[in-house]
Amino acid sequence: MSPSHRDRALGWVLRATAALVAAIVVLIVAFLVVESAGVLRKLGPLRFLTDPSWHPTSGSFDLTAMLLGSLLVTVGAVVLATPAGVASALFCRYYAPAPLAKLYGRMIEVLAGIPSVIYGMWGLMVLVPLIGKWQPPGPSLLAAVLILTLMILPTIALFSDAALAKVPDRYVRGAAALGLTRWATLRGVVLPAARSGLFTGVLLGMGRAIGETMAVLMVCGNVVQTPGSLFDPIRPLTANIALEMGYALGDHRSALFVSGLVLMGMVVVLVGTAELVSRGRLHG
Amino acid sequence: MAERAQPWGDHVAAVFIWTAAAVVTSVFVWMLADIVWNGAGQISWEFLTAPTDDAGRAGGIGPILVSTAMILGVCMAVSVPLGVGTAVLLSEFTGTNVTFGRLVRRSLDVLAGVPSIVFGLFGNAFFCHVLGLGFSILAGGLTLACMVLPILIRSTEAGLRAVPNEYRMGAAALGISRTSALWHVLLPAAAPGIVVGLVLGVGRAIAETAALLFTSGYVDRMPGSLFDSGRSLSIHIYDLSMNVAGGSANAYASALVLVALLVPINAGISWVADRWLHRRLVR
Amino acid sequence: MIPPAAPPAHTPASTQSRVLAAGARPMVEAQRVSVRYGKHVAVEDVTVSIGRQQITALVGPSGCGKTSFLGTLNRLSDLIPGCEVAGRVSVDGEDIRARGFDLVGLRRRVGMIFQKPNPFPLSVRRNLEFPLREHGVRDRARVAEVVEQSLRNVGLWAEVKDRLDAPALALSGGQQQRLCIARALALEPDVLLMDEPCSALDPLSSGVVEDLIGQLRAQYTVLIVTHNLAQARRIADNVALFWAQGGPGRLVEHAPTEAFFESPRDPLTIAYVGGLRG
Ligand SMILES: Nc1ncnc2c1ncn2[C@@H]1O[C@H](COP(=O)(O)OP(=O)(O)O)[C@@H](O)[C@H]1O
Ligand SMILES: [Mg+2]
């Protein structure tokens, strides 16, 4: 084969490869849709919100309690992890002495790579008994929120750090020249300048929280109910899929794919928003 | 008034930030110490190689490690060529079709955000049922391959983008085909990025649990082939701590093995990436 | 071969006859060549003929389109996104911008040296072997022979013969540039395009490379971009002045070196060369 033919062939092979890769997302959505079509067509989407309870084997498909579970856990984790994550990034960049900052940064990276099953196991073995001693039973919304906070904190911290790194040094020096204290500089100049980057990090952390399965599954108690307090067990959508997919058949299986579709929709919205926010920064 | 309030706020902020860092650090240390403390006692050559026994309460994790390695092997064997190919297309053949490139990038962004349990659903429906692979190492590995692609592609692309354009111009001016330039010059020069992507991908794949629950399955026997079901280390930990009464000792030991595999990977990557960045800056 | 029709009005007055003997076949010819980057016109309407086995220096202020023009002669401009070329370019009488023209062959015949030395991140030996193999020279003895000969031609053999397998990037800047020249010469080109080959080098290496270029005249047609008028005067047979006055770059004057410096015709050349004399 002549070189130019080879180049052209390579171009087509690579294009086919990329098309295949791009098709995965389409396939995922397609399979979720196809697999959930059965029950959706039979019952209509509304039944998933209006049925009295989640008893899929006896034809009752209410997802609201689990949707609420997912949302509560996510919101709780984001509320706790955002200040802690941003504080971690500020600590690295503006407070800690250089060697400590470096060490701390490494630690955050390692935390980001620890598998969710490890967080879950630690939560189950250590955190849940602690909570149980204080406010039984132990496996609870609170436990899930705390473990998820730990899990998404590195995401938020790493994105915040990247956002802070992009703030031009002269802003900081300019503020210092005006005699502003460190915190006034950070609050008045640096954080606003890094705002969209911070927001992107929080959105991606939120996406991670909604989609997290194992860690939550292991500490949340897995009772399908609307929690009355922080100490009540709950069951989020993801945990439900993991628990029931092993034996689900027919409409039940189909209903689990419906919840997958719902999860996918939420994540796409979050990723899309994050994209818009971070692109807005390029223009602004 | 305002003048006095400011330094006060400054102190509060400093205390809050130092406290947050201290809390995060102590939880990290607590978690690691707990795993090492409870897990180290059981670790032995015997534990690493022996078959599991009594649902995992007794025996070792030999078959589990083999299954994990096989799943990882399938995952990487499939994702590396696809990932590197896509990255090459995105960074080297951009001029050809802009909208196509943008489409691929968009779908990768979404793919990177798909929850692992959704990958599990997809893998179960597509690989296990439609392709008829059943619960098997092959199905699990393929599912993970879909999952790690965005990571691989991003790092490889970053690696290629860091290759000076002079090499491309120089090769073209010598009448060297794009294919050869890629193979002999550009990809080797982009190796650090590819390595970082590979290691990150391996890290992500070893860590994964939810996507494997309904694709590679639970079976804890030694797998005979890629078509057998095989239990990964992460699923083993999950199962021992959640479903097996009296399994916590071995759960801790397995967790320690998993962490021991992952921590050096994650620490090593930032080291490689740092050095690579440094070299790029000084050169 | 019949020489192409008389060049259009924009050609600098009567320079052609001064540079090329009547009836001589030019090696490189550009006719009404323009280069655009998107909407920005970098080079407009350049018509020039370059004789065989001569060194032609392209001079002119930065940004007047010298690099852009050079890129049209081996179609390296194809690689730059948004870059469009118009006009006719021929090498040895063949229209290189024709559809389906053999680019690999073209670039083998028209070598290029860049401002910044750009050896591949491979060993010294592999830097020479790799392009050779690409162009089908596979016989080991033959490859080794060409490697040695090319290195000798650029005076690098004595310096690197003991470290042929060391990374090329470990060589000094001047050695790297000579390696790049050797790499181009190994393919036995007819034409060498050199874009400010000395400007990234220290004065000593620069002198070595300049001497080397001077020796190339015997075998190759050389187009060299330089900002150093003294250098152009020392090594070039002909000099072409490019100039961009607010708008796109144009060819202002093309004359034998002696005439270019001693009796320039265009007022711009007079001013430009005057800077050197005064
Ligand atoms: N890749 C490019 N994209 C857009 N404009 C370019 C590019 N390369 C060169 N130019 C523009 O074309 C003009 C000529 O540039 P160049 O050919 O590099 O001049 P010279 O080599 O004489 O300094 C300049 O105005 C420059 O800004
Ligand atoms: Mg130039």
Side-chain angles (χ1 to χ4, degrees), chain C residues 116-158:
Chain C
K116 196 171 158 229
N118 62 347
F120 298 126
L122 307 168
S123 70
V124 173
R125 190 201 307 275
R126 286 278 297 146
N127 258 285
L128 293 159
E129 280 180 358
F130 170 41
L132 276 175
R133 281 179 199 279
E134 268 299 295
H135 288 282
V137 184
R138 302 206 176 257
D139 178 59
R140 278 182 181 217
R142 173 78 190 133
V143 168
E145 188 186 325
V146 175
V147 166
E148 176 171 346
Q149 193 52 50
S150 313
L151 287 172
R152 281 189 193 284
N153 285 346
V154 298
L156 206 54
W157 178 250

Side-chain angles (χ1 to χ4, degrees), chain A residues 4-284:
Chain A
S4 61
H5 283 115
R6 221 169 13 154
D7 279 0
R8 207 160 311 149
L10 179 72
W12 285 112
V13 169
L14 293 181
R15 236 161 281 171
T17 310
L20 184 66
V21 168
I24 293 175
V25 168
V26 181
L27 268 184
I28 290 179
V29 174
F31 269 92
L32 290 176
V33 169
V34 167
E35 294 280 336
S36 45
V39 76
L40 277 178
R41 204 172 305 134
K42 200 156 112 192
L43 308 174
L46 266 186
R47 289 271 310 268
F48 290 95
L49 301 174
T50 56
D51 270 5
S53 65
W54 172 259
H55 285 108
T57 38
S58 34
S60 190
F61 294 99
D62 177 46
L63 289 178
T64 45
M66 294 182 288
L67 257 175
L68 185 67
S70 281
L71 290 181
L72 285 177
V73 170
T74 302
V75 169
V78 169
V79 164
L80 291 182
T82 301
V86 175
S88 289
L90 287 175
F91 177 74
C92 271
R93 240 161 230 289
Y94 297 102
Y95 285 83
L100 187 60
K102 188 155 189 177
L103 208 67
Y104 190 78
R106 281 287 144 81
M107 185 188 86
I108 295 286
E109 279 162 19
V110 170
L111 268 178
I114 288 188
S116 45
V117 71
I118 301 270
Y119 282 101
M121 189 195 80
W122 183 75
L124 182 64
M125 309 265 195
V126 177
L127 200 60
V128 165
L130 276 181
I131 295 176
K133 246 181 252 167
W134 173 36
Q135 292 278 350
S140 55
L141 173 59
L142 179 64
V145 165
L146 289 179
I147 287 297
L148 257 192
T149 301
L150 260 186
M151 288 202 59
I152 66 171
L153 190 145
T155 309
I156 296 181
L158 292 174
F159 267 87
S160 305
D161 188 65
L164 293 179
K166 287 207 191 97
V167 177
D169 246 2
R170 61 196 154 82
Y171 286 17
V172 181
R173 268 186 264 120
L178 289 174
L180 292 185
T181 61
R182 182 163 53 178
W183 175 242
T185 307
L186 294 179
R187 199 191 49 184
V189 181
V190 174
L191 289 178
R195 196 178 43 211
S196 65
L198 299 178
F199 195 44
T200 307
V202 171
L203 285 176
L204 291 180
M206 197 184 269
R208 204 169 161 205
I210 285 195
E212 178 48 41
T213 309
M214 300 317 290
V216 176
L217 163 69
M218 292 167 83
V219 300
C220 67
N222 293 316
V223 180
V224 186
Q225 63 173 10
T226 306
S229 82
L230 270 177
F231 305 101
D232 284 350
I234 50 142
R235 180 190 289 195
L237 280 178
T238 48
N240 185 52
I241 300 175
L243 287 167
E244 302 189 352
M245 186 62 193
Y247 60 85
L249 294 169
D251 285 353
H252 183 190
R253 182 178 148 91
S254 201
L256 294 180
F257 276 88
V258 172
S259 48
L261 201 56
V262 171
L263 278 173
M264 183 80 185
M266 294 197 280
V267 166
V268 167
V269 168
L270 281 176
V271 170
T273 317
E275 176 102 341
L276 284 182
V277 171
S278 67
R279 233 180 321 145
R281 177 182 44 190
L282 292 180
H283 296 300

Side-chain angles (χ1 to χ4, degrees), chain C residues 66-67 115 195-196 225:
Chain C
K66 304 180 297 292
T67 300
Q115 175 170 4
D195 193 355
E196 304 184 36
V225 173

Side-chain angles (χ1 to χ4, degrees), chain B residues 213-278:
Chain B
L213 280 172
F214 319 114
T215 52
S216 69
Y218 279 86
V219 174
D220 61 0
R221 279 190 309 276
M222 184 65 85
S225 78
L226 292 180
F227 296 98
D228 283 355
S229 168
R231 181 191 283 204
S232 80
L233 194 52
S234 51
I235 291 189
H236 192 55
I237 297 169
Y238 162 67
D239 199 49
L240 280 183
S241 45
M242 267 302 264
N243 306 331
V244 178
S248 62
N250 274 356
Y252 266 116
S254 309
L256 181 57
V257 172
L258 186 56
V259 170
L261 285 173
L262 279 171
V263 170
I265 287 181
N266 288 306
I269 290 184
S270 42
W271 186 74
V272 170
D274 273 6
R275 300 234 340 170
W276 172 40
L277 196 70
H278 180 69

Side-chain angles (χ1 to χ4, degrees), chain B residues 6-280:
Chain B
Q6 254 180 6
W8 187 79
D10 203 38
H11 288 312
V12 171
V15 167
F16 173 74
I17 285 169
W18 277 92
T19 312
V23 169
V24 173
T25 310
S26 4
V27 172
F28 174 74
V29 172
W30 184 5
M31 199 161 83
L32 271 196
D34 182 58
I35 290 169
V36 173
W37 183 257
N38 290 296
Q42 286 87 257
I43 304 269
S44 64
W45 181 246
E46 178 67 19
F47 178 75
L48 293 178
T49 52
T52 51
D53 197 10
D54 192 14
R57 287 181 199 92
I61 55 170
I64 310 285
L65 287 180
V66 171
S67 298
T68 308
M70 283 169 79
I71 294 172
L72 207 60
V74 171
C75 164
M76 287 295 141
V78 173
S79 61
V80 168
L82 285 178
V84 172
T86 306
V88 167
L89 181 91
L90 288 178
S91 77
E92 303 295 315
F93 288 69
T94 37
T96 44
N97 194 336
V98 181
T99 24
F100 179 63
R102 203 172 300 154
L103 202 93
V104 174
R105 263 177 234 279
R106 245 340 88 71
S107 67
L108 284 172
D109 286 343
V110 176
L111 197 64
V114 173
S116 44
I117 189 78
V118 173
F119 274 107
L121 285 177
F122 164 70
N124 181 271
F126 183 49
F127 297 121
C128 300
H129 287 138
V130 172
L131 297 190
L133 298 174
F135 278 15
S136 66
I137 285 174
L138 199 54
L142 289 173
T143 307
L144 288 191
C146 299
M147 225 174 92
V148 301
L149 271 171
I151 301 173
L152 272 178
I153 293 171
R154 262 179 218 165
S155 327
T156 307
E157 229 195 313
L160 279 170
R161 207 147 336 107
V163 175
N165 207 28
E166 284 109 63
Y167 295 161
R168 295 180 184 92
M169 287 301 198
L174 288 165
I176 289 165
S177 68
R178 249 171 153 169
T179 315
S180 301
L182 262 170
W183 187 249
H184 292 282
V185 179
L186 303 180
L187 284 178
I194 302 177
V195 169
V196 167
L198 257 176
V199 180
L200 275 174
V202 168
R204 177 93 200 262
I206 302 188
E208 186 48 41
T209 316
L212 293 176
L213 280 172
F214 319 114
T215 52
S216 69
Y218 279 86
V219 174
D220 61 0
R221 279 190 309 276
M222 184 65 85
S225 78
L226 292 180
F227 296 98
D228 283 355
S229 168
R231 181 191 283 204
S232 80
L233 194 52
S234 51
I235 291 189
H236 192 55
I237 297 169
Y238 162 67
D239 199 49
L240 280 183
S241 45
M242 267 302 264
N243 306 331
V244 178
S248 62
N250 274 356
Y252 266 116
S254 309
L256 181 57
V257 172
L258 186 56
V259 170
L261 285 173
L262 279 171
V263 170
I265 287 181
N266 288 306
I269 290 184
S270 42
W271 186 74
V272 170
D274 273 6
R275 300 234 340 170
W276 172 40
L277 196 70
H278 180 69
R279 214 188 59 199
R280 261 169 55 205

Side-chain angles (χ1 to χ4, degrees), chain C residues 37 40 42 60-69 80 195-196 225 227:
Chain C
Y37 297 100
H40 174 72
S62 295
C64 66
K66 304 180 297 292
T67 300
S68 304
F69 176 68
I80 299 167
D195 193 355
E196 304 184 36
V225 173
H227 278 296

